[in-house]
Amino acid sequence: MQGEFIIKQISVFSENKPGRLAAIAEALEKSSVNIFAFSIAEANSFGVVRALVDKPDIARSVLEKLGFAVQFTDVIAVRMKDEPGGLYETAKILGEAGINIEYAYAYSGKEAAVLILRVSQAGEAIARISAAGGSLLRESDLG
Amino acid sequence: MRCWDPRIEEMPKDELSKLQYRLLKTLIYRMYSFSDFYHVRMKEAGVHPDDIRTLADIRLLPFMYKSDLRDNYPDRIFCASRDELVRYHVSSGTTGKPTVVGYTQKDLDLWTTSLARALTSCGLGRGDVIQVSYGYGLFTGGLGLHYGAERIGATVLPTSVGNTERQIELMQDLKATAIACTPSYLIHLGEAAERMGISIQKDTHLRSAIIGAEPWSETMRTRIYETMGVRAYDIYGTSEISGPMFSECSEQKGIHIWGDIAYPEVIDPKTGEQLEAGEPGELVMTVLQKEALPMIRYRIGDLTRIIDETCACGRTHPRIERISGRVDDMLIIRGINVFPSAVEHAILGISELSGHFMIEVDRKGSLDAMLVRVEVVPEALSDKINDLINIKRKVEHVLKNALNVAVSVELSEPGSLPRFEGKAKRVIDRRVF
Ligand SMILES: [Zn+2]
């Protein structure tokens, strides 16, 4: 089953205004939503906040109530080997399969560092990484 | 009937130009001889009637302004004696004194003829019941449309404004096929009917609406058609040129300006220079045959452009586009005229945006900087920053092409820009002059 390795990321569009980011973090905290991973991509005046959380549906409704535009995005999470070249290896597997990495960010998981990938074909990426002996996380493995 | 007066309305363009020149020349001689006001104005501009040798020479003539009417309140620039006048209309000025317009019998006849042609071009005529829900009285809308509708042999239902429930009852009982009113009243009437459990589309005979005297848009036209099954036609005029006079034809691609009645020009509001057909600018009207209060190169203050090609309906008279805004709203950015309405028009064509926007103007050093904040619709948002940057670039590109001046664009969160009821205040100009 490839579907079990697809993880729901929340993507929040935000203007680069003072306090906007803090508002997102505060709202999630107040609703007891745990943030596992967090990344911000920004242009001059606006950016996208991406987060993996334990309760994505609650996070989405809380943020939408505050007027944020929120989307779910399918991403995959790869457990990084605790040795040099881990990132390179994953990128190489995907590159050879013609799968585009739109963006990636990492966080330190329970046992090892975790690489979050947003790719052009998530299902295909999961198959390739698994076949090459890579270790993927399920939503329940996050944290 | 296709044309009220096919001989005039389908007159070859060169013949029409000759007729316009003859009428203009007559008008200018008359004004120079009988109007103290315009005589002085021509002297000041150094123009004599003999200098007008072609129709294009109209650009030599001095402008008239709304303030001319106000400054000469109530009737000091009239060109007819009191016993020749058969009616007054008065428009309440938002600032200062009202303006008074007087009419001779011939003025009223021409106004009515103009509207008879306009209403016929919208497909109305004998057998139609036209409900006139413009105000009757000092305002020109009610009486103007009333006489125009009678002239084409339609039956007039003179309801004037107000008492909307009764209007809807009468509309049903007397089988009104058309209504003349402001766009906001039409929408109000539609909503009131709905509350009464009446569907304009299914329970009435109403099929057309002649609406004007307020700004409205293509979006409203679509909404009126979808909710009421009514085709809405744009009508244009202002009391200084008589009242509502000109409308779209059944093609709905611009408002025909009857060339034997008025000569429209579009100018650069800053320099006063005449612009080519198709270029946007300020509408200037010369009413060619008015007796009591002739208006020459009158600067109404509305923005539009002239469409010079012959209309698909066969009428040769020039058209103007729907009024896109007021000159007072114009910004000058690095020497270029920028109209907020042009920004709006450009933005409405971009599917990733909600249509709401704000313009902020600052001066950075000696340069003007214009920023347009736009709202992205939720469907167009992406988790990929490049998608967003591409939307921003696309909007910048579209605006640069539309305005001829570089502007920076910022994307705002959906729903975050101010919403306006009535007149929108979308410009924040922080420049200090
Ligand atoms: Zn036409």
Side-chain angles (χ1 to χ4, degrees), chain A residues 54-126:
Chain A
D54 59 348
K55 292 165 223 147
D57 294 304
I58 293 177
R60 179 177 184 154
S61 74
V62 164
L63 293 173
E64 280 179 346
K65 269 191 206 114
L66 285 176
F68 283 102
V70 185
Q71 286 178 337
F72 287 138
T73 312
D74 288 345
V75 295
I76 57 174
V78 186
R79 222 174 254 119
M80 303 293 283
K81 286 180 194 149
D82 199 11
E83 58 194 52
L87 174 59
Y88 169 74
E89 219 167 76
T90 308
K92 190 164 165 244
I93 294 165
L94 296 177
E96 278 168 1
I99 298 169
N100 200 25
I101 300 180
E102 311 275 11
Y103 55 81
Y105 54 103
Y107 80 101
S108 50
K110 274 182 287 199
E111 305 126 31
V114 176
L115 182 67
I116 313 295
L117 295 168
R118 160 79 150 105
V119 293
S120 51
Q121 304 132 269
E124 183 67 16
I126 290 167

Side-chain angles (χ1 to χ4, degrees), chain B residues 55-285:
Chain B
L55 191 53
D57 289 336
I58 192 170
R59 70 195 156 76
L60 303 173
L61 293 166
F63 293 117
M64 286 178 72
Y65 300 87
K66 181 142 188 141
S67 55
D68 293 329
L69 298 182
R70 247 184 244 129
D71 297 346
N72 292 286
Y73 179 86
D75 56 2
R76 290 206 302 273
I77 58 172
F78 282 18
C79 270
S81 62
R82 191 152 304 162
D83 60 354
E84 290 174 289
L85 297 180
V86 295
R87 195 191 297 169
Y88 290 121
H89 278 288
V90 182
S91 75
S92 53
T94 41
T95 49
K97 279 207 157 65
T99 50
V100 178
V101 179
Y103 303 74
T104 65
Q105 186 56 51
K106 193 182 158 221
D107 290 338
L108 289 184
D109 287 344
L110 258 175
W111 181 16
T112 303
T113 298
S114 184
L115 280 172
R117 290 184 200 163
L119 294 173
T120 305
S121 80
C122 300
L124 299 174
R126 188 171 286 274
D128 276 299
V129 177
I130 304 180
Q131 183 162 351
V132 178
S133 306
Y134 274 121
Y136 279 67
L138 292 173
F139 174 59
T140 51
L143 286 169
L145 266 300
H146 182 100
Y147 285 103
E150 281 189 353
R151 180 70 63 89
I152 60 169
T155 312
V156 176
L157 178 56
T159 46
S160 194
V161 282
N163 205 345
T164 305
E165 293 197 3
R166 186 166 161 75
Q167 295 229 9
I168 294 165
E169 273 171 33
L170 290 171
M171 176 185 285
Q172 276 192 296
D173 296 347
L174 297 170
K175 301 184 171 54
T177 57
I179 187 168
C181 59
T182 60
S184 57
Y185 189 70
L186 182 60
I187 286 179
H188 170 74
L189 188 127
E191 287 166 354
E194 212 168 276
R195 280 196 297 276
M196 293 162 71
I198 293 167
S199 156
I200 298 282
Q201 183 147 23
K202 296 198 191 89
D203 307 328
T204 77
H205 287 74
L206 199 71
R207 293 300 165 257
S208 334
I210 313 298
I211 61 180
E214 274 173 13
W216 63 295
S217 64
E218 279 311 298
T219 319
M220 279 168 86
R221 176 163 12 228
T222 310
R223 183 170 149 208
I224 288 165
Y225 188 72
E226 283 170 358
T227 57
M228 298 185 229
V230 168
R231 277 192 84 180
Y233 296 86
D234 199 7
I235 186 164
Y236 182 72
T238 171
S239 65
E240 297 83 40
I241 63 164
S242 284
M245 286 199 113
F246 310 109
S247 78
E248 293 176 317
C249 64
S250 47
E251 295 292 323
Q252 298 192 311
K253 292 201 177 100
I255 296 160
H256 282 284
I257 306 293
W258 312 123
D260 56 323
I261 292 179
Y263 185 81
E265 299 166 78
V266 165
I267 60 162
D268 180 325
K270 197 176 43 170
T271 62
E273 292 292 320
Q274 215 181 58
L275 298 173
E276 297 280 319
E279 286 188 61
E282 178 183 352
L283 179 64
V284 169
M285 281 277 209

Side-chain angles (χ1 to χ4, degrees), chain B residues 138-420:
Chain B
L138 292 173
F139 174 59
T140 51
L143 286 169
L145 266 300
H146 182 100
Y147 285 103
E150 281 189 353
R151 180 70 63 89
I152 60 169
T155 312
V156 176
L157 178 56
T159 46
S160 194
V161 282
N163 205 345
T164 305
E165 293 197 3
R166 186 166 161 75
Q167 295 229 9
I168 294 165
E169 273 171 33
L170 290 171
M171 176 185 285
Q172 276 192 296
D173 296 347
L174 297 170
K175 301 184 171 54
T177 57
I179 187 168
C181 59
T182 60
S184 57
Y185 189 70
L186 182 60
I187 286 179
H188 170 74
L189 188 127
E191 287 166 354
E194 212 168 276
R195 280 196 297 276
M196 293 162 71
I198 293 167
S199 156
I200 298 282
Q201 183 147 23
K202 296 198 191 89
D203 307 328
T204 77
H205 287 74
L206 199 71
R207 293 300 165 257
S208 334
I210 313 298
I211 61 180
E214 274 173 13
W216 63 295
S217 64
E218 279 311 298
T219 319
M220 279 168 86
R221 176 163 12 228
T222 310
R223 183 170 149 208
I224 288 165
Y225 188 72
E226 283 170 358
T227 57
M228 298 185 229
V230 168
R231 277 192 84 180
Y233 296 86
D234 199 7
I235 186 164
Y236 182 72
T238 171
S239 65
E240 297 83 40
I241 63 164
S242 284
M245 286 199 113
F246 310 109
S247 78
E248 293 176 317
C249 64
S250 47
E251 295 292 323
Q252 298 192 311
K253 292 201 177 100
I255 296 160
H256 282 284
I257 306 293
W258 312 123
D260 56 323
I261 292 179
Y263 185 81
E265 299 166 78
V266 165
I267 60 162
D268 180 325
K270 197 176 43 170
T271 62
E273 292 292 320
Q274 215 181 58
L275 298 173
E276 297 280 319
E279 286 188 61
E282 178 183 352
L283 179 64
V284 169
M285 281 277 209
T286 298
V287 188
L288 293 167
Q289 302 190 47
K290 226 154 155 273
E291 290 184 334
L293 180 57
M295 299 303 285
I296 298 172
R297 303 199 84 202
Y298 177 55
R299 296 184 68 160
I300 301 176
D302 287 329
L303 299 170
T304 184
R305 60 181 106 202
I306 290 179
I307 309 166
D308 208 21
E309 298 88 50
T310 299
C311 183
C313 74
R315 292 175 179 83
T316 49
H317 298 231
R319 284 164 290 159
I320 57 169
E321 259 184 13
R322 173 195 295 283
I323 301 302
S324 64
R326 295 281 304 165
V327 173
D328 313 341
D329 300 332
M330 184 181 82
L331 292 163
I332 300 173
I333 308 289
R334 276 170 261 150
I336 310 257
N337 302 342
V338 173
F339 300 106
S341 51
V343 174
E344 177 163 29
H345 189 76
I347 282 174
L348 285 174
I350 302 175
S351 61
E352 290 92 340
L353 305 182
S354 72
H356 295 278
F357 68 98
M358 286 294 291
I359 295 171
E360 293 175 24
V361 189
D362 284 289
R363 175 156 289 166
K364 296 198 172 136
S366 58
L367 273 187
D368 298 323
M370 178 168 152
L371 168 72
V372 180
R373 292 187 190 278
V374 294
E375 240 179 56
V376 181
V377 291
E379 302 78 55
L381 288 174
S382 165
D383 59 311
K384 291 178 247 171
I385 197 80
N386 277 342
D387 292 351
L388 296 167
I389 292 171
N390 286 339
I391 295 177
K392 174 182 147 93
R393 288 200 185 125
K394 175 178 171 182
V395 180
E396 281 171 346
H397 181 75
V398 168
L399 286 177
K400 165 124 211 267
N401 279 344
L403 309 176
N404 289 318
V405 62
V407 300
S408 45
V409 166
E410 286 192 4
L411 305 185
S412 296
E413 292 167 20
S416 67
L417 292 179
R419 266 58 177 163
F420 297 96

Side-chain angles (χ1 to χ4, degrees), chain A residues 17-74:
Chain A
K17 280 195 295 211
R20 252 355 228 162
L21 205 55
I24 295 175
E26 192 189 338
L28 295 181
E29 192 180 320
K30 272 197 185 147
S31 327
S32 315
V33 174
N34 285 320
I35 302 171
F36 302 134
F38 195 81
S39 109
I40 304 168
E42 51 189 352
N44 278 338
S45 58
F46 53 87
V48 183
V49 174
R50 304 147 182 161
L52 295 190
V53 298
D54 59 348
K55 292 165 223 147
D57 294 304
I58 293 177
R60 179 177 184 154
S61 74
V62 164
L63 293 173
E64 280 179 346
K65 269 191 206 114
L66 285 176
F68 283 102
V70 185
Q71 286 178 337
F72 287 138
T73 312
D74 288 345

